[in-house]
Amino acid sequence: MKIIYNLSVLLILLFSYNIVCAQHVREPRVYIEDYKGTEAGALKKIDSVEALIVTAESQGISTEQEKMTISLAKTFLLYANWDEENTPVYTEMFDGLHEFFQTTPENLAQHLATYERSEVITMLTESITTLEALLSGEISRQPSPIIDWRKISYDTNRLVYNEKPVFLADYIWQPKKAGVISLQDYFGAYDGFYFDPTAVVSEQGAIADQLKKYLKQKPSGNFGTTFIGHKNIPSWLESKFPKVDIGKALYTGYDISNPASREIIQKLFSGIVPLIKGKNYTKQGYMLTNEPHWNLTGNWEIVQFSDYAKDSLRVWLKKKHRNIEAFNTLWGKDYSSFDEIDIESFPMEDGERGKPIGYDIIKFNQDRVTNWFTFLDSEVKKYDSEAMTHIKLIPMHWSQNGRGNGLDFEALTRLTSNIGNDAGAKKSFRWGGPYDWTKRYAYFWRDMAMTYDFFRSVSPKKVNYNSEGHFLKSTAFTDLFLEPSYVRSIYWLAVLQGMNSVQSWFWPRENNGSLQNKGEDIAASLINQPRVVNEISKTFMDLNTHSEDIDALQHLEQPIRLFYSETSAINKLQYMDGIFKSYEELYFEGLSIGFATKDILEKNDNRTWEVVLIKNTEYVTTKELNALQSYLDNGGTIIMDTLSLKKNEYDVLHRQNLVQGKGSLRVMDTPENMNRTAMHKISSQNKLPPLTLNEHNTGNKKRCVWRSYKDEDERYVINVLNIGNKTSQVTVGIRGVSNDVKCVNLLNGEKMNPTFSINPEEVLLLEITQNTN
């Protein structure tokens, strides 16, 4: 029986609250517990779980999940004690967040430890319920693999352990221990190393002696990543090049167009990389830069072009336009030569988007950044030929409408050895709104999902490494009271979309439970939410238990491709909103959605595609148009609207139009007709999913993301995940088979009817067989 305790008026104020943010309102929540959030109550629960573990193991039942929960419970009891003794620290950190939680910072701080202990008790109670159900035979589960992080390797686009795919979860700044408890047994065991230009202590390129000594003694360690920082630069470099910081960006403390930047990197890499190559702690890859962006538009972190950048721009413009008279006509200028061109200060106005000057400057900024990363990548591989590289790209810089950040996502994804990013999601927003997504969805998934499909379309044979997962907290998203259902749903969806490994933001505790630093970013983070961490670990244990099924679902073919043009993205202020609308329309059809670009059409294998959809893409270069024509000439199928492919990058009408060639070209008037024709095309080629899923919802708005496959043994598996904000009624079946089917939930062994309800944020992994009775 569940008991609701009336603790105090203040505690009710804390735990019975509405989050009102961006018009995304949740129902008041009352906290349910057994022992009023006391340590004594938690310890009794631990004793009960441990006793059940002994019984379960005597019957051959795997109990790794419950052992993990006990380890986490003891960790958070340590943390709760420190938090209780340091309420003034939290009072200060909660200031600025308290309005979001509709209470006072003092109240939040005063009851934080009680909340943490309550969460510990709740997750232990859930473990007891699960163990009792396992012992009674009500449910069953397969054992969770124990991963040796020293022995993880690559198999093309997979991380592998014991010849099976594995999915890795860890945390930024996570200590190795909490008191005497090892955190690396269950909560990730990445190794790593950080270095930056300050390691170069002289103009001659000498590396600091202490650092060299440290690296020579540092063990190979576990599978890990090497973080290359660029924010700090040595004093000798500033003395030699006094203007080296003119044109710097947020995480790059020098101008990438200045020759000094290459000089310092060459010295840094030649001194450091030979000392660390081949070590386990480099195998997840060298992170070339943290969250890069060189903003020319917007209202934050604007970068100015240095004289070196302006000189490079003049060369770039001369190479592109050749003729100064033609250039002047485009830009509306009257220069006598390209050498005279001068660029005013940034930020650029949005009104420049769609004009020749706006296109050229944005494209030049992208090209110079791509050249910089090409240099970084080649310099690493000069000294470590087997190096895996990646860049921590921020997905919203592609999935949202801005294009002044200097990032050509396709070029950078194609360049590096791994797909690097810091994707996240948002359950709510601390400001702004109202947001349309709240009307239909449980959380904001656009940036992660669409970008991950784009990444895979560009580089299908690469591992996706999220080196700073912001699924739980970011600047705009903070929620102390996250539900485990959201945690499971968003991490599972990210893996389904292609993520192989993640380091979540973040775990800033010392071994004794104290905080590594203090600030608003830490307050209400996962270090105050034991059930959140517990659910991440349980989710990845389940993913790894069924890793071969998940791997198969992760790498399904992408038979429908949405055409993406960087040209239109630069020129049209709302282009990505249109791309997302097209993506969203197909997202719930059981298909893995792909993208096509000029380079994807020309460089990637397109034999598994059936159709390219082109919507709302008015601006394309001649080269993009030629790539589409070549695709048609080789037998491809294109379905497009009447708006697209009309103009070049400078708003000039194209003299040529696509012609059918050996392929099939359909120009249609509505998105609905385009989608219907595309689905008919893949159906005619037997590319529809092997299973079916029908949603029975009012308003005909689908909410369930699903993927299915059939293995070589004629075994059917379907993953169903409700990202909507309402329960859905669904029916699953085998395509082309009229008989009823039988369903088994692979996560708990329960038999299910083929028609069932699935709650918001619920995740199901089902095995489907034909009912032959």
Side-chain angles (χ1 to χ4, degrees):
M1 178 179 179
K2 294 179 178 178
I3 304 172
I4 301 177
Y5 283 88
N6 182 10
L7 300 180
S8 68
V9 174
L10 286 179
L11 196 55
I12 290 172
L13 283 174
L14 174 62
F15 295 130
S16 302
Y17 70 96
N18 288 334
I19 289 182
V20 182
C21 184
Q23 307 296 316
H24 194 193
V25 183
R26 297 199 310 186
E27 292 300 315
R29 172 179 168 190
V30 179
Y31 221 83
I32 300 172
E33 49 177 310
D34 284 333
Y35 291 95
K36 300 184 180 180
T38 65
E39 183 169 324
L43 293 174
K44 288 182 180 180
K45 288 289 185 180
I46 289 174
D47 290 342
S48 298
V49 176
E50 288 178 335
L52 285 169
I53 285 175
V54 173
T55 304
E57 289 186 338
S58 71
Q59 298 183 23
I61 296 172
S62 173
T63 61
E64 284 303 307
Q65 290 197 15
E66 288 70 36
K67 289 178 179 177
M68 176 276 297
T69 298
I70 287 176
S71 178
L72 189 64
K74 293 177 180 178
T75 296
F76 269 87
L77 291 179
L78 172 70
Y79 292 173
N81 288 337
W82 191 91
D83 293 348
E84 189 169 55
E85 295 169 1
N86 292 272
T87 54
V89 173
Y90 275 101
T91 298
E92 183 177 349
M93 291 195 300
F94 278 126
D95 189 24
L97 292 175
H98 63 282
E99 292 180 357
F100 179 73
F101 294 114
Q102 293 192 323
T103 185
T104 66
E106 293 81 6
N107 190 41
L108 284 169
Q110 181 183 351
H111 294 290
L112 179 62
T114 300
Y115 165 70
E116 291 166 344
R117 293 176 186 130
S118 300
E119 291 283 85
V120 167
I121 289 171
T122 300
M123 73 185 191
L124 289 166
T125 301
E126 292 168 349
S127 292
I128 291 170
T129 301
T130 299
L131 284 170
E132 288 175 343
L134 287 165
L135 287 166
S136 69
E138 181 183 347
I139 64 172
S140 63
R141 69 180 176 206
Q142 299 175 33
S144 302
I146 300 173
I147 299 170
D148 185 343
W149 287 62
R150 297 170 300 175
K151 299 178 180 179
I152 296 166
S153 60
Y154 286 86
D155 178 10
T156 312
N157 51 15
R158 301 167 178 84
L159 296 177
V160 174
Y161 173 69
N162 275 351
E163 300 182 350
K164 289 189 176 182
V166 289
F167 305 100
L168 305 180
D170 199 303
Y171 302 86
I172 291 175
W173 296 350
Q174 176 195 299
K176 292 184 178 180
K177 290 185 176 182
V180 298
I181 302 164
S182 171
L183 296 178
Q184 294 195 320
D185 290 342
Y186 295 111
F187 310 110
Y190 263 121
D191 211 331
F193 174 61
Y194 169 89
F195 69 98
D196 64 32
T198 58
V200 183
V201 295
S202 73
E203 185 178 339
Q204 290 70 39
I207 303 297
D209 289 336
Q210 285 297 106
L211 179 57
K212 289 194 295 183
K213 181 179 178 181
Y214 168 78
L215 289 176
K216 290 175 181 179
Q217 296 174 347
K218 181 176 171 61
S220 182
N222 290 341
F223 189 77
T225 186
T226 302
F227 187 133
I228 303 171
H230 298 271
K231 192 166 187 175
N232 304 313
I233 57 177
S235 57
W236 67 262
L237 187 71
E238 293 180 278
S239 298
K240 183 178 179 181
F241 301 96
K243 296 183 179 181
V244 70
D245 62 339
I246 296 176
K248 69 180 181 179
L250 178 63
Y251 292 116
T252 300
Y254 39 78
D255 171 30
I256 60 173
S257 295
N258 191 317
S261 62
R262 300 202 174 209
E263 178 178 328
I264 186 63
I265 288 300
Q266 288 168 336
K267 291 173 179 176
L268 178 67
F269 287 9
S270 66
I272 297 291
V273 176
L275 298 176
I276 64 178
K277 69 175 184 178
K279 302 293 179 67
N280 277 345
Y281 62 78
T282 70
K283 289 186 177 179
Q284 178 72 89
Y286 295 76
M287 187 173 77
L288 299 180
T289 298
N290 175 59
E291 297 181 346
H293 48 282
W294 285 264
N295 293 342
L296 304 182
T297 60
N299 55 13
W300 61 292
E301 296 171 5
I302 300 300
V303 170
Q304 300 297 321
F305 278 174
S306 66
D307 289 341
Y308 291 104
K310 291 178 180 179
D311 287 343
S312 297
L313 173 60
R314 295 180 187 106
V315 172
W316 187 92
L317 289 170
K318 184 175 183 179
K319 182 178 180 181
K320 180 169 177 56
H321 294 284
R322 300 182 182 179
N323 183 285
I324 191 65
E325 288 77 17
F327 169 80
N328 283 332
T329 300
L330 276 175
W331 274 41
K333 301 293 183 180
D334 190 26
Y335 295 117
S336 60
S337 73
F338 287 97
D339 294 336
E340 291 183 3
I341 296 172
D342 195 15
I343 303 299
E344 297 177 0
S345 297
F346 300 104
M348 290 174 54
E349 298 294 334
D350 280 344
E352 300 292 351
R353 295 272 296 273
K355 296 180 179 179
I357 186 172
Y359 177 84
D360 276 344
I361 292 176
I362 288 174
K363 195 69 180 72
F364 161 74
N365 197 35
Q366 289 183 346
D367 285 354
R368 79 176 185 120
V369 169
T370 299
N371 289 337
W372 169 248
F373 279 112
T374 300
F375 164 72
L376 293 180
D377 186 79
S378 64
E379 282 297 306
V380 168
K381 292 174 180 175
K382 181 189 295 185
Y383 305 104
D384 183 356
S385 60
E386 298 182 357
M388 307 298 286
T389 56
H390 58 94
I391 306 167
K392 191 188 292 183
L393 294 171
I394 303 174
M396 73 172 184
H397 283 160
W398 180 80
S399 64
Q400 299 293 318
N401 293 306
R403 280 299 178 275
N405 47 53
L407 304 172
D408 182 335
F409 264 59
E410 180 175 10
L412 297 178
T413 300
R414 197 174 291 279
L415 169 69
T416 53
S417 312
N418 283 337
I419 295 169
N421 63 95
D422 71 345
K426 294 175 178 65
K427 179 70 174 175
S428 57
F429 281 79
R430 287 174 57 191
W431 53 71
Y435 294 98
D436 286 341
W437 64 266
T438 62
K439 299 174 184 177
R440 180 176 175 186
Y441 300 116
Y443 51 82
F444 182 73
W445 52 275
R446 165 176 165 169
D447 292 348
M448 178 275 293
M450 191 164 71
T451 309
Y452 274 12
D453 273 335
F454 182 72
F455 283 149
R456 187 160 79 90
S457 300
V458 174
S459 296
K461 296 182 179 181
K462 295 178 183 178
V463 160
N464 180 322
Y465 171 41
N466 184 338
S467 57
E468 189 178 317
H470 282 285
F471 301 112
L472 310 174
K473 185 175 176 65
S474 64
T475 303
F477 168 44
T478 299
D479 188 347
L480 179 60
F481 305 99
L482 284 174
E483 293 285 354
S485 60
Y486 163 73
V487 175
R488 173 167 288 254
S489 178
I490 189 57
Y491 277 90
W492 197 285
L493 180 62
V495 171
L496 192 68
Q497 292 283 162
M499 186 175 75
N500 300 93
S501 51
V502 60
Q503 285 189 275
S504 293
W505 181 262
F506 57 160
W507 197 314
R509 295 269 195 183
E510 301 291 356
N511 288 1
N512 65 354
S514 62
L515 302 179
Q516 293 178 5
N517 49 56
K518 301 172 181 65
E520 185 180 296
D521 281 347
I522 290 179
S525 63
L526 63 86
I527 60 167
N528 304 128
Q529 301 178 86
R531 289 178 73 207
V532 164
V533 182
N534 188 58
E535 196 63 31
I536 294 172
S537 296
K538 288 171 62 179
T539 298
F540 276 83
M541 284 181 169
D542 286 340
L543 287 165
N544 285 318
T545 297
H546 303 280
S547 65
E548 291 174 301
D549 286 331
I550 300 301
D551 175 73
L553 295 169
Q554 194 184 61
H555 295 112
L556 296 174
E557 292 180 0
Q558 298 170 301
I560 295 180
R561 298 289 177 128
L562 299 176
F563 186 72
Y564 168 78
S565 167
E566 189 68 28
T567 310
S568 282
I570 291 172
N571 281 339
K572 298 187 69 171
L573 290 176
Q574 306 300 324
Y575 179 67
M576 295 309 294
D577 289 344
I579 288 289
F580 175 67
K581 184 177 180 181
S582 300
Y583 179 83
E584 184 183 29
E585 288 167 353
L586 295 166
Y587 191 63
F588 301 95
E589 300 298 332
L591 299 169
S592 184
I593 308 302
F595 289 87
T597 64
K598 168 192 168 295
D599 281 355
I600 292 174
L601 287 165
E602 293 177 341
K603 298 178 181 180
N604 292 22
D605 183 0
N606 58 31
R607 287 174 294 181
T608 62
W609 310 356
E610 296 303 328
V611 60
V612 172
L613 286 176
I614 308 176
K615 300 181 184 181
N616 196 38
T617 303
E618 184 177 1
Y619 302 93
V620 291
T621 63
T622 300
K623 290 181 178 179
E624 287 174 302
L625 202 58
N626 290 341
L628 289 166
Q629 185 61 61
S630 178
Y631 174 70
L632 280 171
D633 291 343
N634 286 296
T637 297
I638 290 177
I639 303 171
M640 62 179 285
D641 61 20
T642 56
L643 170 70
S644 296
L645 313 184
K646 297 296 185 183
K647 300 178 180 180
N648 71 7
E649 65 267 43
Y650 299 118
D651 199 31
V652 177
L653 287 172
H654 281 293
R655 296 180 179 178
Q656 64 189 92
N657 296 312
L658 293 182
V659 294
Q660 187 148 306
K662 295 181 181 178
S664 174
L665 175 64
R666 301 284 300 275
V667 180
M668 312 193 80
D669 55 354
T670 68
E672 294 78 13
N673 286 338
M674 294 176 69
N675 292 347
R676 193 178 302 113
T677 303
M679 294 297 291
H680 178 75
K681 172 65 176 178
I682 66 170
S683 175
S684 68
Q685 299 299 315
N686 296 318
K687 290 296 182 71
L688 290 173
L691 298 178
T692 60
L693 183 143
N694 295 312
E695 282 193 62
H696 319 288
N697 299 324
T698 57
N700 198 31
K701 287 292 186 181
K702 297 179 180 180
R703 309 180 190 109
C704 290
V705 182
W706 60 283
R707 302 286 185 269
S708 63
Y709 86 106
K710 179 175 69 172
D711 68 14
E712 296 177 352
D713 298 322
E714 301 292 312
R715 173 176 165 271
Y716 294 91
V717 173
I718 185 170
N719 191 109
V720 188
L721 198 159
N722 184 358
I723 65 172
N725 56 16
K726 295 180 182 178
T727 299
S728 281
Q729 302 291 323
V730 303
T731 299
V732 297
I734 299 173
R735 189 172 301 279
V737 174
S738 58
N739 291 11
D740 290 339
V741 299
K742 296 186 291 185
C743 306
V744 175
N745 186 341
L746 291 173
L747 301 179
N748 61 19
E750 288 184 324
K751 296 179 180 179
M752 298 175 56
N753 291 322
T755 297
F756 53 85
S757 298
I758 180 168
N759 295 320
E761 301 175 341
E762 186 175 357
V763 179
L764 294 173
L765 184 67
L766 308 176
E767 184 176 85
I768 309 297
T769 56
Q770 187 173 346
N771 192 343
T772 57
N773 294 331

